[in-house]
């Protein structure tokens, strides 16, 4: 597998940023240089990306889609590794390697955006062939680069919205290929099965662009899988047609386990640490009906922190207790529903500057504020709430077919929250609305003052139908 060597560079950079363990970096530096230099030798066509033919396998391991020049997964890992090498070389004081890695990272990122974007279909495609023609398949492998922020943000948003459709996303995870693809086979390891590993990356990318309900659904699916075979076992793969695991699937696999931990810590909790920049980040994406969350014993940059988060109807309170925090600052950037109007922020009772950012996808408001850590700090955020969709709670049982409601995207236009959903023909679904007292009117479903019921007309068995809902907020 060609991806393992650049992944090594990415892992070391992630570890050093999180811990500030510069001695580990110093000891590892000769090995990192060899890994980086090997990656450079695999770019046979000189486009700034690693080539599968020379580097080895990337996303897929057999079949017709392995006869390509570069797949989007290998390209993403290399682009991220080059950026990681730039950071590590800077920490080592190696200006020559840093300048070279910077050039490689910029070139790889540009090639990623230019060579994988399918303008005809509006998403990042799976791969390109030796003649640079796109292999026009939508796959969850695109989410790896999107989760790392590669490519144009608007294109990342469109790609994730496409992955949210029922041809890709099932109640238990994301298929390797669209059910509409002529290559799709639900029990085929590379051409139709559901991998928890990729569920995690898609969840990460969805959290990145504030598709919070969809991201939470995939994370919860991975957690549920932990009791399918044995308690705590993270199974390798599932069928793309039924919520079952093939007999040949590994019953407990490391890379499936990582895809529970990664989107939980970095996505839902939104925890990240950069010991090099002396910056910590808390960017939670909690469901709107979660009243409290506590994080204890967070080790970051040699420090220990505890976070107590409380959400009320029009206020968020955050208490931060930290030990050994000299010189550290915390960026607090919670996800609130689109249309939320932030009024004020305070730190320990005094006014705190904030930016009332709206995410690139338009699916959340992200007020951003920065505070130095003094040991025991309290942030208070006041806002006018907006109606928010609570992630659906029902999940499949082993053996079920796919039937759950798919929330494709949410968009705020003026006072209107526009929600695109797809549901099974003949089925009715119930969505709970947080801050329901702020709802003025609803179109496309029946609203009882707290819950929104969406009914789909009868149609072909197993057919999913699309509907647009409009939730108008009070002015």
């Amino acid at each position: 597998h060609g991806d393992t060597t650049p992944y090594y560079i990415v892992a070391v950079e992630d570890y050093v940023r999180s811990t500030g363990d510069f001695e580990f970096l110093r000891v590892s530096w000769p090995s990192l240089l060899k890994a980086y230099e090997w990656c450079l030798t695999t770019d046979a066509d000189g486009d700034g990306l690693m080539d599968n033919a020379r580097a080895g396998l990337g996303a897929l391991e057999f079949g017709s889609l392995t006869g390509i020049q570069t797949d989007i997964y290998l390209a993403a890992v290399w682009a991220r590794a080059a950026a990681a090498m730039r950071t590590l070389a800077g920490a080592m004081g190696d200006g020559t390697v840093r300048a070279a890695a910077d050039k490689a990272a910029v070139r790889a990122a540009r090639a990623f955006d230019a060579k994988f974007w399918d303008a005809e279909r509006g998403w990042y495609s799976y791969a390109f062939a030796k003649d640079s023609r796109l292999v026009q398949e939508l796959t969850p492998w695109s989410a790896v680069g999107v989760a790392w922020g590669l490519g144009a943000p608007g294109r990342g948003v469109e790609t994730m919205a496409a992955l949210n459709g029922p041809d890709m996303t099932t109640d238990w995870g994301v298929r390797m290929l669209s059910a509409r693809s002529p290559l799709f086979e639900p029990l085929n390891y590379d051409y139709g099965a559901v991998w928890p590993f990729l569920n995690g990356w898609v969840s990460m990318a969805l959290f990145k662009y504030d598709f919070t309900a969809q991201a939470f659904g995939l994370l919860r699916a991975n957690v549920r899988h932990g009791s399918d075979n044995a308690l705590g076992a993270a199974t390798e793969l599932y069928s793309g047609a039924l919520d079952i695991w093939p007999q040949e699937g590994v019953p407990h696999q490391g890379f499936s386990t990582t895809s529970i931990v990664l989107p939980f810590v970095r996505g839902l909790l939104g925890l990240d640490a950069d010991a090099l920049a002396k910056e910590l980040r808390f960017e939670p994406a909690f469901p709107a009906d979660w009243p409290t969350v506590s994080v204890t014993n967070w080790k970051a940059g040699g420090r220990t922190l505890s976070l107590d988060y409380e959400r009320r109807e029009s206020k968020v309170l955050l208490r931060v207790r930290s030990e050994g925090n000299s010189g550290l600052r915390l960026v607090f950037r919670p996800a609130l529903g689109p249309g939320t109007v932030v009024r004020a922020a305070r730190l320990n009772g005094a006014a705190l500057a904030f930016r009332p950012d709206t995410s690139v996808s338009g699916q959340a408001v992200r007020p951003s504020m920065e505070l130095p850590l003094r040991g025991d700090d309290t942030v208070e955020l006041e806002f006018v709430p907006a109606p928010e969709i609570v992630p659906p709670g029902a999940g499949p049982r082993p053996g079920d077919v796919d039937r759950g409601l798919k929330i494709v995207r949410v968009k705020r236009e003026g006072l209107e929250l526009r929600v695109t959903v797809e549901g099974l023909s003949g089925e009715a679904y119930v969505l709970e609305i947080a801050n329901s007292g702020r709802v003025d009117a609803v179109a496309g479903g029946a609203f009882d003052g707290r819950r929104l019921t969406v009914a789909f007309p009868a149609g072909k068995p197993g057919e999913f139908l699309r509907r647009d809902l409009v939730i108008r907020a009070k002015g």
Side-chain angles (χ1 to χ4, degrees), residues 72 111-125 134 154-156 158-159:
I72 194 167
F112 179 95
D113 195 36
K115 305 199 76 168
F116 293 102
W117 177 247
D118 187 338
E120 178 185 350
R121 290 166 173 79
W123 60 56
Y124 285 114
S125 282
L134 278 172
R155 293 177 175 183
E158 294 304 315
T159 300

Side-chain angles (χ1 to χ4, degrees), residues 195-217:
W195 286 15
F197 169 70
L198 285 172
N199 288 356
W201 277 113
V202 176
S203 181
M204 277 291 295
L206 289 168
F207 277 125
K208 168 78 175 176
Y209 286 118
D210 290 321
F211 291 82
T212 52
Q214 302 92 324
F216 184 78

Side-chain angles (χ1 to χ4, degrees), residues 62 291 420:
F62 62 87
T420 300

Side-chain angles (χ1 to χ4, degrees), residues 378-462:
T378 300
V379 177
E380 187 175 357
L381 191 65
E382 294 183 356
F383 52 85
V384 178
E388 295 183 49
I389 293 174
V390 176
R397 293 181 297 179
D400 279 355
V401 298
D402 185 35
R403 57 166 50 94
L405 185 71
K406 308 296 183 278
I407 301 173
V408 178
R409 69 193 315 163
V410 177
K411 187 176 182 181
R412 177 83 177 209
E413 294 181 356
L415 292 175
E416 293 183 343
L417 187 68
R418 296 183 173 270
V419 186
T420 300
V421 297
E422 294 198 39
L424 201 60
S425 63
E427 292 281 345
Y429 303 89
V430 177
L431 287 171
E432 188 163 340
I433 307 299
N435 308 315
S436 56
R438 298 288 304 160
V439 176
D440 182 49
V442 171
F447 183 59
D448 67 1
R450 182 180 174 185
R451 297 178 180 86
L452 174 59
T453 300
V454 187
F456 290 85
K460 298 177 182 177

